[in-house]
Amino acid sequence: MGSSPRAAVLSVLLAGTMFPRHRSLCLQNGRGGSPALPAAGRAGKGFFPAQAREEDADRVLSYRKKPQGVLTPSQRRALRELWPHYGISAGYSDTITAESLRHVFGRSESEDRYTIMEIGFGTGEATARNAYLRPDIDILAVEVHKPGLASLLKRVEANAIPNVRLIRSDAITLLADRMKGRLLDEIWILFPDPWSDASRNNRRLVRPFFLSTISKRLRVGGLLRVASDCVEYIDHTDRTVKAWNEDPGNDDIHQGRNKWEPLQKDFRDEAKEVPSHRAVTVYESKALNSGGAVWERVYRLL
């Protein structure tokens, strides 16, 4: 018996440009070796990322400035031809609002769509599958590296996926400076760089300033989801959220708002199986296939 049309479409979603082979997550200093200078190139409107202010400890970059390498002809075509249709500008003069999101997704004012932001989607394989399997949601996919952006653009075009839009930006700069209002129902951080070197722990995305920032962008009751195959990163996340909730100097907590409730029923600890609630990511698959485990945390904004 031949495969179903839906299975055939899902197989196409797995195709596309892949990043270099995954390295050890916890034992080395994060992913991908030493940071490098960004590759030079010609900027198109709304395409090059809004940069964080590195001198500000709250805004230190949580990703590595990798060399972008030589893009393939199909990647260049995707960035040139598809970005105007699926990309969202997040430059210094741009402000992303509920109204602008309805416009870029082609929604009417009466449509109140469930919106998920995924930060650092890598190749976009899992992002495309999640969007395809959940046509009732909208996904804002945030990434800084061009090969991954091109890969997801190609998947979106090839499978006519209408509910994904891409943003090239530093996540903290985007959330703090380029967005206005409570626009999101969930924020996903799936298998981020763990920055395991003690001298670089400050680069981890989950930090007090990040929690404060996303509490202004998530709707009340919105979710923060963090997954990693590095238990050290999950321990760091637990400690950071707990410290936020218990900080005596936190005015938000004293005023009864912006507290994070751990949803322990949705926690995964040392899981060996693929998740049932979302598509498995590339890094997650590599960890599980090599005999590793996965941890996942979900927190609700009160």
Side-chain angles (χ1 to χ4, degrees), residues 178 185 261:
R178 308 289 184 259
D185 295 286
E261 176 191 13

Side-chain angles (χ1 to χ4, degrees), residues 253-270:
I253 299 301
H254 289 314
Q255 295 176 27
R257 65 178 185 234
N258 295 347
K259 187 173 184 178
W260 296 96
E261 176 191 13
L263 299 184
Q264 295 188 1
K265 64 181 179 61
D266 294 325
F267 282 13
R268 300 170 69 216
D269 285 309
E270 209 167 352

Side-chain angles (χ1 to χ4, degrees), residues 43-58:
K45 176 175 172 52
F47 181 72
F48 280 82
Q51 293 296 328
R53 298 193 293 271
E54 281 277 27
E55 69 276 9
D56 187 336
D58 287 334

Side-chain angles (χ1 to χ4, degrees), residues 14-170:
L14 296 176
T17 302
M18 303 294 288
F19 283 120
R21 191 170 178 82
H22 175 60
R23 299 185 181 184
S24 173
L25 296 185
C26 291
L27 297 181
Q28 295 188 6
N29 178 22
R31 296 189 178 114
S34 301
L37 294 174
R42 184 177 62 183
K45 176 175 172 52
F47 181 72
F48 280 82
Q51 293 296 328
R53 298 193 293 271
E54 281 277 27
E55 69 276 9
D56 187 336
D58 287 334
R59 293 169 177 261
V60 65
L61 295 181
S62 63
Y63 58 90
R64 299 172 189 273
K65 293 182 177 180
K66 304 177 187 176
Q68 299 296 320
V70 178
L71 297 175
T72 67
S74 66
Q75 288 174 331
R76 291 197 298 270
R77 182 197 68 81
L79 294 173
R80 182 179 63 251
E81 298 179 6
L82 302 180
W83 183 262
H85 300 285
Y86 300 106
I88 296 178
S89 178
Y92 291 104
S93 61
D94 296 306
T95 302
I96 298 172
T97 64
E99 181 180 0
S100 69
L101 285 182
R102 283 196 296 269
H103 175 74
V104 297
F105 278 106
R107 313 297 182 201
S108 67
E109 290 188 12
S110 61
E111 287 184 278
D112 186 18
R113 295 269 292 187
Y114 197 89
T115 304
I116 296 173
M117 173 181 283
E118 182 178 357
I119 298 174
F121 59 78
T123 65
E125 175 184 310
T127 307
R129 295 187 68 190
N130 284 321
Y132 180 80
L133 295 171
R134 292 286 307 278
D136 56 313
I137 66 172
D138 289 337
I139 295 180
L140 292 175
V142 181
E143 180 58 74
V144 296
H145 298 117
K146 288 187 284 187
L149 291 160
S151 177
L152 180 54
L153 285 169
K154 290 194 293 182
R155 288 188 171 97
V156 168
E157 178 196 38
N159 298 282
I161 301 174
N163 54 331
V164 176
R165 294 295 181 273
L166 290 75
I167 303 175
R168 190 178 191 218
S169 176
D170 168 73

